Amino acid sequence: METDWHNKLYFGDNLEILRDHVGEESVDLIYLDPPFNSKATYNVLFKEENGTASAAQVDVFEDTWHWVGEGPGEEIMSTQAAYQEVVTGGGKIGALLDALHQFLGSNDMMAYLVMMAIRLIELHRVLKPTGSIYLHCDPTASHYLKLLIDAVFGVKRLRNEIVWKRTHSHGDARRRFGKITDRVFLYTKSDTYTFNRQYMPYSEEYIEKYYRHVDENGRRYQLVTLRSPNPRPNLVYDYKGYKPHRNGWAVSREQMEKLDRQGRLHFPADLNGAMREKYYLDEMPGVLASDVWMDIGPISAHAKERIGYQTQKPEALLERIIQASSNEGDVVLDPFCGCGTTIAVAERLHRRWLGIDITHLAITLMKNRLENAFGAELSPYEVIGEPQDVQSARALAEQNRYQFEWWALGLVEARPAQDKKKGADKGVDGLIVFFDDDSGKAKKIIVQVKSGHVGSPLISELKGTMEQEKAEIGAFVTLEEPTGPMKKAAATAGFYDPPGLLPAVPRVQILTIAELLAGAKLDYPKIDVATFKKAPRRSKAKKAE
């Protein structure tokens, strides 16, 4: 088990990774936004299990949050086993979970709470005594989750229940008030913890009321008294004909002269008037942040930071959390990493980080995001849990073919073409979009991934699909070695000849997993690739001195 790790992405079930790889009291800050479908109705969430799959959970956790059945692999603990482990372990969390089971019964909501409870126990173990944890959730299950974290961390360790206004009121709120907020619970492990005060922008009303003056450079300022609140005889002096208050000035003559040289004094026309100091708006930190966050809006459909992940959170939200509860060099953990907003912000703010996700698609998104955002500035990091050889790739394919497919698509930097669980894939597993000229017309590469038996008919099918999809190039990624007839069939497809002086490339390319792991690349004009929405370029924050 590692105790001195930094900058790692883990693929796998976060419960097992926490237990096997994250040392006790080794993390300074935890942020988690566990997957839960807030659009599902309570009728669905509380439905008793009858053997049919519930629509309550996102695809990748489809089997994890059900009361019956095992997960997609042996490494995923069944809900019943997790329940028994927590309850027999005793303590407040065991008693609470038993009581909730009696109240809720064996349904998807209870399964969700069981799987969260056993993970909260591990998160408490890995958190340093001076550490903090932020649990982000929507109101669907927030009341239950608060009970769980109370039982694990202690009621007295709750520092804030933060309300984040994540969106605007919806037009469909006809028979209730619009649901526009999330909850973020802040707990600490002890009474000694890191907290750096954060500030929110002033409201327009506040600015208009208090910063109503504007200087010749267009800078807003307000006038603040220079009189001492208490008698200070040593600071009673005349300045340029202006008399002090009977208590004296608030600053020494030396400081007064400095303010004067800086143009920060306001001299009224009447010498009997009150001389004041100018406080400039652009030098003020703002209003101390409260537990209601209305100044961080959702990611709009056209925002530069949006990369297409359904539950992506704004970087500004994670920036406030990370700056408030950690310092440079501290370790930040996100056990449900998703598209990697937490680790991207941690990297920019010079924190060490650890991200965990159970899908290879998320790992691919995170790697692309980090590379696009930081380039050469990106700190070294490792990806743990991805196949490193053909044998481990074969094991992944046998365990979960969807995960294998997502991982294999990442090897050629392709994105999944569609959600396979919703229907037939029509011969297209992945997609790459590129532009090789100034026409503005997108060119397409379709990708097929195969983990089983292969033969030349599959290449013929790929060529037919290329015609249907109007794709310039077709890539065939295979775990097994291609046959001679397959290679011949690919060769008959000819070459794609891009405009200008770019070299021609084969229209059908066969790449084995072994070749890709050894460094082979899909050959196409990489002039302007738009497969994944690129994360905006980020410069790291200036390090604290």
Side-chain angles (χ1 to χ4, degrees), residues 8-12 307 309 334-344 347 353-374 378 381-383 386 532-533 535:
K8 286 183 174 65
L9 289 178
Y10 278 98
F11 162 74
I307 60 176
Y309 201 81
D334 187 340
F336 296 93
C337 213
C339 64
T341 300
T342 303
I343 64 172
E347 173 73 14
W353 48 262
L354 170 62
I356 309 171
D357 204 273
I358 200 168
T359 75
H360 282 290
L361 176 59
I363 298 295
T364 297
L365 284 171
M366 283 185 266
K367 291 193 293 186
N368 277 277
R369 180 174 189 171
L370 290 170
E371 295 291 340
N372 290 332
F374 301 105
L378 179 61
Y381 70 96
E382 298 178 58
V383 181
E386 286 191 322
F532 294 95
K533 189 176 186 304

Side-chain angles (χ1 to χ4, degrees), residues 55 103 196 226 231 257 261 275 348 356-357 359 415 432 461 481 496 520 540:
F103 174 59
N196 306 307
L226 276 167
E257 291 172 349
R261 291 193 300 270
M275 194 170 64
R348 178 161 54 84
I356 309 171
D357 204 273
T359 75
R415 65 171 171 82
I432 298 173
E461 292 177 11
E481 287 294 320
Y496 170 64
K540 290 190 179 182

Side-chain angles (χ1 to χ4, degrees), residues 318-330:
L318 273 300
E319 184 172 332
R320 177 168 295 167
I321 289 170
I322 291 172
Q323 287 184 328
S325 294
S326 70
N327 297 310
E328 289 183 3
D330 284 351

